């Protein structure tokens, strides 16, 4: 194998190790921040969850860049090159002196397994997205357009209201729900769904789902479920601002939920009954409670910024520690 | 499908005259699209003299119900959640006792604000 391939193996191995480190750090941070995040207003909570979801990837990219910094500087200023101090068996993370040895069989198989797993998971998710998008497009194309309301009406008695689509989201409302709602409830439902469209929640959720692959399973589950409910609550708050009444939004949610229950019972639809407190209960209780004060993510962002700068300040130490660790793992 | 659901003539040339000319689609494309929809089981056809006359096999409501069922199935498998935000969950219902408790809470708030029960 060529030295370039050896170098690529070592960098990939370092990236995977940093990803694992980022995932563990995010799990610890999520655990510590969970009670605080729960008290934040939905929009800020949603943003914080998106940042937490992207943290392992961001961490690994920052660590990889910080680790590569001495080698990048040596490219520009060859006098600062320190590679001759190492013996030949060292796992060089260097662009000038490519390593003579790559990873041994076990870490190499680990790399192949990790990337194959990520690829297969990605392919399944992409196939699911394509299938769902195809269904949504078929519904939107064959639904009646109501330009006065900015929606497409699906011909079914089932009470359904969706903001659907990744890049060009649109609001789909069923005929059954359109006829079941009064004017105020319809205004709430449409304001809520338009908020989803404006916020591009489907696109954000797709990106977070892709990023969730690198999290510990329990953290990924928590992130995805909390992100979903935070998006719903953020849209509820926007609908409440739009109609000027929080109780009206709570009431509309319950009307649609009750109508959906009737439809599920009468048409024997395949639905699950929530065990314990469901999303509807959390949304309604939140709307009936006093609105939460807007929270700021600035301290959180400053903390992350300071950590990133510290990592760059420790680039030399990080570089040597990573090379030693890679020498131990790879050989 | 929209054209056929509107009750319009399903003969290939008539579909082309209604849709193809306006949108710049050739007769061949219309013919192959109708054939593909027939093969997918969405259309039925009869042979009248030398031409096929197509009509929708499912009503618009049946078609939409089928698609929604498929979407809910995908949601239950966690495949469509990222594409769809439903006003209330399509695949999970609140327990009846939870719903009754929440409705009582909202009704109380509405009573207190002088808007009575809805």
């Amino acid at each position: 194998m060529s030295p370039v391939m050896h170098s690529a193996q070592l960098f990939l191995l370092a990236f995977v190790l940093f990803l694992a480190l980022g995932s563990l750090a995010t799990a610890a941070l999520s655990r510590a921040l969970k009670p605080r995040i729960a008290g934040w207003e939905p929009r800020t909570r949603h943003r914080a969850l998106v940042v937490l979801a992207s943290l392992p990837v961001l961490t690994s990219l920052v660590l990889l860049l910080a680790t590569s910094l001495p080698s990048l500087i040596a490219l520009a200023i060859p006098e600062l090159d320190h590679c001759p101090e190492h013996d030949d068996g060292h796992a060089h993370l260097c662009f000038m002196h490519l390593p003579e040895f790559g990873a041994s069989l076990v870490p190499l198989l680990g790399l192949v397994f990790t990337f194959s797993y990520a690829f297969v998971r990605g392919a399944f998710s992409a196939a699911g997205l394509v299938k769902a998008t195809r269904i949504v497009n078929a519904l939107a194309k064959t639904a009646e357009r109501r330009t006065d309301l900015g929606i497409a009406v699906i011909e079914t008695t089932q009470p359904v209201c969706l903001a659907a689509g990744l890049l060009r989201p649109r609001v789909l409302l069923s005929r059954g729900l359109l006829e079941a709602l009064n004017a105020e409830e319809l205004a709430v439902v449409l304001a809520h769904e338009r908020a989803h469209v404006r916020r591009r929640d489907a696109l954000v959720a797709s990106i977070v789902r892709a990023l969730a692959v690198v999290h510990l399973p329990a953290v990924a589950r928590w992130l995805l479920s909390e992100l979903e409910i935070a998006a719903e609550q953020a849209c509820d708050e926007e609908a409440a601002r739009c109609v000027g009444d929080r109780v009206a939004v709570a009431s509309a949610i319950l009307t649609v939920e009750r109508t959906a229950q009737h439809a599920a019972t009468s048409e024997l639809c395949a639905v699950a009954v929530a065990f314990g407190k469901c999303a509807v209960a959390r949304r309604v209780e939140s709307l009936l409670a006093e609105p939460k004060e807007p929270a700021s993510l600035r301290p959180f962002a400053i903390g992350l910024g300071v950590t990133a700068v510290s990592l760059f300040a420790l680039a030399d130490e990080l570089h040597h520690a990573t090379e030693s660790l890679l020498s131990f793992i790879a050989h | 499908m929209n054209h056929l659901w509107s009750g319009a003539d399903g003969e290939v040339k008539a579909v082309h005259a209604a849709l193809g000319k306006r949108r710049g689609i050739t007769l061949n494309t219309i013919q192959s699209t109708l054939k593909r929809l027939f093969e997918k089981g969405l259309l039925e056809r009869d042979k009248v003299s030398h031409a096929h006359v197509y009509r929708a096999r499912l009503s618009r409501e049946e078609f939409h119900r089928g698609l929604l069922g498929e979407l809910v199935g995908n949601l239950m498998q966690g495949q469509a959640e990222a594409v769809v935000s439903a006003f209330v969950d399509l695949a999970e219902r609140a327990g009846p006792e939870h719903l009754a408790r929440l409705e009582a809470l909202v009704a109380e708030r509405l009573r207190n604000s002088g808007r009575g029960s809805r």
Side-chain angles (χ1 to χ4, degrees):
Chain A
M1 210 175 269
S2 73
V4 175
M5 287 302 287
H6 293 154
S7 186
Q9 283 172 17
L10 292 178
F11 273 103
L12 279 178
L13 201 55
F15 181 70
V16 172
L17 287 174
F18 291 150
L19 215 49
L21 191 68
S23 174
L24 290 174
T26 309
L29 192 64
S30 303
R31 203 181 162 87
L33 287 178
K34 212 183 259 188
R36 191 176 293 186
I37 289 176
W40 289 348
E41 52 97 20
R43 228 164 39 160
T44 315
R45 190 150 37 97
H46 189 264
R47 282 183 196 153
L49 291 165
V50 172
V51 174
L52 278 176
S54 46
L55 213 49
V57 172
L58 288 178
T59 307
S60 54
L61 289 177
V62 167
L63 280 170
L64 199 64
L65 197 59
T67 306
S68 311
L69 199 59
S71 307
L72 290 169
I73 292 173
L75 271 182
I77 313 166
E79 293 79 43
L80 294 178
D81 176 35
H82 67 279
C83 282
E85 295 165 22
H86 298 308
D87 61 55
D88 287 342
H90 198 70
H92 287 298
L93 284 174
C94 178
F95 303 109
M96 291 165 74
H97 305 93
L98 298 176
E100 296 199 0
F101 302 97
S104 60
L105 189 64
V106 174
L108 203 58
L109 285 177
L111 270 182
V112 170
F113 173 78
T114 307
F115 282 96
S116 308
Y117 173 74
F119 179 77
V120 170
R121 280 280 302 262
F124 268 110
S125 302
L129 277 184
V130 169
K131 194 174 170 193
T133 306
R134 230 180 37 227
I135 296 172
V136 166
N137 284 342
L139 276 172
K141 275 184 186 163
T142 53
E144 181 203 340
R145 295 221 175 108
R146 284 283 302 267
T147 42
D148 55 331
L149 297 173
I151 59 169
V153 181
I154 311 170
E155 294 300 334
T156 172
T157 51
Q158 287 176 48
V160 175
C161 186
L162 311 167
L166 278 186
L167 300 175
R168 282 193 307 121
R170 52 211 132 181
V171 179
L172 305 174
L173 193 78
S174 70
R175 179 80 59 198
L177 193 59
L178 192 61
E179 285 167 2
L181 298 176
N182 64 31
E184 189 184 40
E185 288 162 345
L186 183 63
V188 168
V189 170
L190 294 184
H192 175 103
E193 296 306 331
R194 282 179 196 136
H196 275 305
V197 169
R198 215 173 20 253
R199 290 163 44 87
R200 303 248 167 199
D201 281 327
L203 187 62
V204 174
S206 303
I207 294 168
V208 169
R209 274 183 179 273
L211 293 170
V213 178
V214 296
H215 284 276
L216 297 179
V219 180
R221 274 196 300 276
W222 173 75
L223 273 173
L224 291 175
S225 70
E226 282 301 306
L227 188 87
E228 194 183 339
I229 193 132
E232 292 303 326
Q233 288 180 323
C235 293
D236 287 343
E237 295 292 339
E238 282 206 34
R241 270 193 292 278
C242 201
V243 298
D245 187 351
R246 296 168 66 79
V247 184
V249 179
S251 176
I253 293 171
L254 292 177
T255 302
V256 178
E257 179 64 27
R258 178 61 78 187
T259 315
Q261 284 220 342
H262 280 309
T265 317
S266 59
E267 295 183 24
L268 298 171
C269 297
V271 290
V273 175
F275 183 74
K277 192 181 268 192
C278 60
V280 164
R282 281 183 66 181
R283 286 167 63 190
V284 169
E285 284 170 2
S286 162
L287 285 161
L288 295 181
E290 282 299 308
K292 286 172 178 158
E293 287 298 312
S296 171
L297 282 181
R298 193 171 289 171
F300 191 33
I302 290 173
L304 291 179
V306 168
T307 311
V309 170
S310 311
L311 287 174
F312 281 110
L314 294 169
D316 269 334
E317 288 77 4
L318 201 61
H319 178 84
H320 291 298
T322 308
E323 282 187 338
S324 303
L325 184 66
L326 287 177
S327 296
F328 176 72
I329 292 174
H331 298 156
Chain B
M1 295 297 290
N2 284 336
H3 175 77
L4 295 175
W5 277 323
S6 70
D9 188 351
E11 205 258 304
V12 179
K13 279 181 185 163
V15 178
H16 178 247
L19 301 176
K21 282 182 183 161
R22 186 159 38 94
R23 298 187 194 173
I25 305 169
T26 64
L27 185 70
N28 276 345
T29 310
I30 295 281
Q31 194 162 21
S32 58
T33 304
L34 288 169
K35 193 168 169 238
R36 216 166 48 241
L37 290 171
F38 168 74
E39 284 162 358
K40 278 186 177 179
L42 293 170
L43 299 182
E44 291 174 330
R45 70 184 182 190
D46 294 318
K47 196 149 194 181
V48 178
S49 61
H50 291 296
H52 284 285
V53 178
Y54 291 88
R55 63 179 179 279
R57 196 166 157 266
L58 303 170
S59 69
R60 197 192 295 259
E61 186 170 358
E62 286 167 332
F63 182 63
H64 282 178
R65 200 186 305 140
L67 286 175
L68 270 177
E70 219 178 314
L71 196 63
V72 172
N74 283 7
L75 279 170
M76 287 179 127
Q77 290 164 14
Q79 288 183 324
E81 281 168 354
V83 183
V84 168
S85 308
F87 185 69
V88 297
D89 205 315
L90 289 179
E92 187 185 77
R93 297 273 60 86
E97 67 289 351
H98 276 301
L99 193 55
R101 179 180 65 81
L102 295 167
E103 283 171 336
L105 280 174
V106 169
E108 191 188 339
R109 287 290 290 272
L110 289 170
R111 259 198 314 278
N112 291 344
S113 63
R115 280 178 285 173
S117 61
R118 294 182 177 208

